[in-house]
Amino acid sequence: MKEGPIKRTARWLLPIERPRIALLLLALGVLVMIVARLFSWPGFATHDTVFITQEALRGEYTSYHPVLNALLIRWLAVPFESFSIYTTLQILFCATLYLRSATLFARMVSRPAWIVLGVALWAAMPSTYLYLGMIWKDVLCAYCLLFLATLVLQSRQSGVLAGRADAVLLGLSLFLIVATRHGMAINFLLLPLAIGVRQLWAARPYRAAFVAAVVGWLLMSVVTASPLVKNDVAHLSKLKISAVSGPFLGMVANRSGYTSNDPGQDQALAARVFGPDYAEKYRPDYLMNEVVLTDPQELDEAYGLILRRTARLCLLNVSQCGSDRLQMMLATLQPSTAFGGMKFYDLAIMENCPTVFGMDPDKCDVLERFERGERPGMLVEFQRKFVSRLVDTRGTVQNVFVWNLLPAFVLLLALLVFIAPGRPLWIVSLFILMQMVLPMATSMANDFRYYYFLAPLSTLLAVFVLGRAVHGRSFWRDRPTQSSEASHV
């Protein structure tokens, strides 16, 4: 008898050969999706949300963010004058990726109850619900990277690549990563190496998905380079300046960050580090990541002055120059600064956009259409209490439980150090750690959102490692998974 689409979907998404495990995973997944939808209605916003929504509403796109960010809002939010459809689809997509990843983890082990524990930890973390409803490209990237890492582990551990549905998700996940975050095209090289070039290329559905992701990325690159998109040269130049100057200003000021709100202090600091010629000619706000259209020639001159001075500073103190990025990253991951100085705003209870975002009124006008009629009565007070008591606090216990990413980084680093090179867990840890190359090499080294992808992965990977430590080699399911969707290569 031919299976219906619902049954086929269920057989793909959940490990049907273990009904109790399937029901537990399904129950946890549905619970997370419902709570995330209710809690974040219609969605949470950041400063970036304002800029991207402004582009989507006006149809005037720039290279300040990847164009796909604004296009998604244009297609999924503007027609409905609400972010609710956008965030609902994001919650469904991310939760599906997480459940499918958990399924693949469960099929790789002989005791899948450990994987249920990992999903339960994910469901218990307040940060899960804070992020799933966020109008933020990095949330999508986090769950896409989790799924890709799961495919890497499965292919290396069992020698099996699952069927067409997973190939489609691979292509979509890879495209979203490289098309919504600058510089992530490095995954076109990392992913085949991590899975195995021959294995990936020999499996036709995966080869087609990989090629489709490349073509999609090239298409978006052509659109970005076309006259339809304004190339924000000034902003990119400012990012270059911050990438070079930020670390040295942070070292001299003995803090992780760029500049303060005191122009006099910033100018004195700039003069101390880069010399009086720089401090006298250029405003201190050149060292900050704000979108201010200025003369590109001036920015190039400022960048040249900083770059020449930086070379001398590196020669005088090689160790300090080399370790600064790592110090900034660790400061971002630890509980005291894990929120990276960012604040999230609930669009349902946001009453005064200029006051909340600290921006000019004309920059906030773009959100007026989305605020109207978006105030649910049943959860407003709960949302306020949650944000004020957990999200905005700096208590160690709350930070560790809500969003601390340092344990995840330590776990991956430990796997890389203590597991023999070439083993599946070693390859997965290397694949994930390589995702940090981009933020560590740019001005975003102290922006925690670039490391958020560690959080959803760590809950599964941690219990996977613990289960293997407790049960030894018997924890692995060494034989390839017998499934109608599996394709041996």
Side-chain angles (χ1 to χ4, degrees), residues 32 35-50 52-53 73 77 82-88 90-91 125-139 339 342-350 356-357 367 370-371 374 376 379-388 390-392 402-403 452:
V32 167
V35 174
R37 178 60 293 171
L38 292 176
F39 172 69
S40 64
W41 183 277
F44 293 126
T46 69
H47 287 77
D48 291 345
T49 306
V50 177
I52 302 173
T53 304
I73 293 179
S82 172
F83 286 116
S84 57
I85 301 297
Y86 180 103
T87 50
T88 298
Q90 177 174 283
I91 290 170
M125 294 172 61
S127 58
T128 297
Y129 306 100
L130 180 68
Y131 286 105
L132 281 176
M134 188 71 60
I135 304 159
W136 210 7
K137 57 186 172 56
D138 297 282
V139 176
F339 219 47
M342 297 287 290
K343 284 183 67 66
F344 293 149
Y345 307 101
D346 189 338
L347 293 175
I349 60 177
M350 189 172 67
V356 172
F357 285 96
L367 291 180
F370 295 87
E371 292 178 38
E374 295 281 359
L379 289 175
V380 170
E381 189 62 27
F382 172 74
Q383 290 171 329
R384 283 197 174 114
K385 289 180 179 180
F386 179 89
V387 172
S388 63
L390 284 176
V391 177
D392 290 337
V402 176
W403 53 61
Y452 169 63

Side-chain angles (χ1 to χ4, degrees), residues 64 91 117 126 143 215-216 259 364 374 379 433 451:
Y64 170 51
I91 290 170
L117 175 61
Y143 284 91
V215 172
T259 56
C364 284
E374 295 281 359
L379 289 175
L433 289 171
Y451 311 111

Side-chain angles (χ1 to χ4, degrees), residues 145-399:
L145 280 172
L146 161 69
F147 180 71
L148 295 184
T150 304
L151 291 181
V152 169
L153 182 61
Q154 184 204 35
S155 65
R156 289 291 181 172
Q157 191 272 327
S158 64
V160 172
L161 281 171
R164 294 180 180 178
D166 292 284
V168 171
L169 277 184
L170 176 141
L172 182 58
S173 298
L174 184 59
F175 169 72
L176 287 173
I177 290 171
V178 300
T180 58
R181 270 176 52 174
H182 287 301
M184 296 306 286
I186 187 177
N187 284 288
F188 286 134
L189 175 63
L190 290 179
L191 187 64
L193 291 176
I195 290 179
V197 176
R198 292 183 179 180
Q199 186 178 11
L200 180 66
W201 196 253
R204 290 185 179 180
Y206 283 81
R207 180 176 61 200
F210 185 84
V211 172
V214 174
V215 172
W217 173 71
L218 291 175
L219 179 62
M220 292 305 305
S221 300
V222 171
V223 172
T224 303
S226 70
L228 299 175
V229 178
K230 181 180 179 181
N231 187 10
D232 197 344
V233 178
H235 177 70
L236 296 179
S237 297
K238 291 171 72 63
L239 287 181
K240 290 195 303 179
I241 291 175
S242 295
V244 179
S245 65
F248 291 103
L249 291 174
M251 286 189 294
V252 174
N254 194 25
R255 66 176 184 271
S256 176
Y258 299 148
T259 56
S260 69
N261 294 323
D262 183 352
Q265 179 183 348
D266 298 338
Q267 191 169 16
L269 184 59
R272 180 178 175 186
V273 179
F274 302 113
D277 52 346
Y278 173 84
E280 290 176 2
K281 188 173 182 180
Y282 300 103
R283 297 196 309 261
D285 61 1
Y286 278 12
L287 306 176
M288 302 181 70
N289 283 326
E290 294 182 357
V291 183
V292 179
L293 295 179
T294 54
D295 185 357
Q297 184 176 357
E298 280 191 354
L299 290 170
D300 288 340
E301 292 176 0
Y303 180 62
L305 284 173
I306 293 176
L307 201 60
R308 288 194 294 272
R309 179 63 173 165
T310 299
R312 294 196 293 269
L313 290 171
C314 282
L315 289 176
L316 293 175
N317 197 332
V318 177
S319 61
Q320 192 174 31
C321 181
S323 65
D324 173 71
R325 283 302 182 190
L326 182 59
Q327 292 175 23
M328 294 177 71
M329 184 195 72
L330 292 177
T332 297
L333 296 176
Q334 67 187 5
S336 62
T337 57
F339 219 47
M342 297 287 290
K343 284 183 67 66
F344 293 149
Y345 307 101
D346 189 338
L347 293 175
I349 60 177
M350 189 172 67
E351 298 173 353
N352 190 328
C353 179
T355 299
V356 172
F357 285 96
M359 295 179 176
D360 296 332
D362 61 331
K363 292 184 179 179
C364 284
D365 288 344
V366 297
L367 291 180
E368 286 185 356
R369 291 167 56 183
F370 295 87
E371 292 178 38
R372 193 173 300 120
E374 295 281 359
R375 301 176 185 278
M378 59 181 294
L379 289 175
V380 170
E381 189 62 27
F382 172 74
Q383 290 171 329
R384 283 197 174 114
K385 289 180 179 180
F386 179 89
V387 172
S388 63
R389 294 181 181 179
L390 284 176
V391 177
D392 290 337
T393 59
R394 292 298 184 185
T396 302
V397 175
Q398 292 96 326
N399 277 312

Side-chain angles (χ1 to χ4, degrees), residues 398-472:
Q398 292 96 326
N399 277 312
V400 168
F401 186 60
V402 176
W403 53 61
N404 183 26
L405 304 179
L406 187 58
F409 173 73
V410 173
L411 170 65
L412 291 171
L413 195 61
L415 291 177
L416 197 68
V417 172
F418 295 108
I419 293 180
R423 301 298 296 169
L425 289 176
W426 186 90
I427 293 174
V428 170
S429 62
L430 181 62
F431 173 71
I432 293 296
L433 289 171
M434 285 298 292
Q435 308 295 329
M436 295 183 174
V437 170
L438 175 69
M440 286 187 66
T442 67
S443 60
M444 299 301 181
N446 70 337
D447 195 335
F448 84 105
R449 58 184 172 173
Y450 281 84
Y451 311 111
Y452 169 63
F453 58 80
L454 289 175
L457 172 70
S458 62
T459 53
L460 283 179
L461 195 57
V463 297
F464 192 89
V465 173
L466 287 174
R468 187 177 178 222
V470 172
H471 300 287

